[in-house]
Amino acid sequence: MKTEEWFTVTKIDDSTFALSELGHWEQVHSYLLIGEGEAFLIDTGLGIFDIQHVVEQLTSYPVEVITTHVHWDHIGSHGSFATIYVHEAEADWLKNGIPGLPLEQIRHDVGRDITKPTPNSFNPATYQPFTGSPTALLQDGDRLQAGGRELIVLHTPGHSPGHVCLFETNTGYLFSGDILYSGTPVYAHFPSTDPKVLLQSLQRLSELTDVMSVFGAHNNVRLSTAILDDAGQAASALLGTEKACHGSGLHTFGQLTLQF
Ligand SMILES: [Zn+2]
Ligand SMILES: [Zn+2]
């Protein structure tokens, strides 16, 4: 099996691509943004196949990796790239892993419900999540440039402490990682999450102007901006209530479902 059979490439525009792993239950998307002579890769996927092989088919330019957050399903091929950005709040997770998250659980999750052939090199029983040092740390408001493309870093914690969204002003694209997508719940029910903080982040995203399209990290690739209104409604309805805490269950607003 070839790498390109594992990844589904969706052309968003002439120089922007979604690289999707639809043969895995998580339905993970990473995004490649190609500028003049340089490119950004937002996340590197599950690590079942090395995403670099499909990136190389789309661009020969140097690629800088931006991490939306340090969950294993978005950093799988980080080891194939020299330049890795991560928010400062998750630099330790990148170096040392997430304290208290059992390796057995990760191996169970990476290995189940796979509907496409995987390479011989992939063995869930010996799968190791990426660990390594970032080359640079991100803070809220940073502006990252690659060949004429500029991404603004929005620190949007709650699903994880150093989660970031990336907003490209020229195109109006908002890459929303694991804090805003449709199809399955956005998770804030396990120990390192914070429902209240997540709602504050959703509030902030709902107040962004000039967003043209939203691109989440799971399920559907391109979302209408109506999901930003759903995010705002979730924040208005739940912030300051007893539901903004762990254990309060599922909350649905339009396309968006939250699990607390
Ligand atoms: Zn996540
Ligand atoms: Zn995820």
Side-chain angles (χ1 to χ4, degrees), residues 45 96 131 184-185 187 206 235 251-252:
N96 305 310
T131 49
T184 53
Y187 295 127
S206 75
H251 309 283
T252 297

Side-chain angles (χ1 to χ4, degrees), residues 69 71 73-74 159 178:
H69 65 302
H71 283 162
D73 49 332
H74 303 282
H159 172 73
D178 269 11

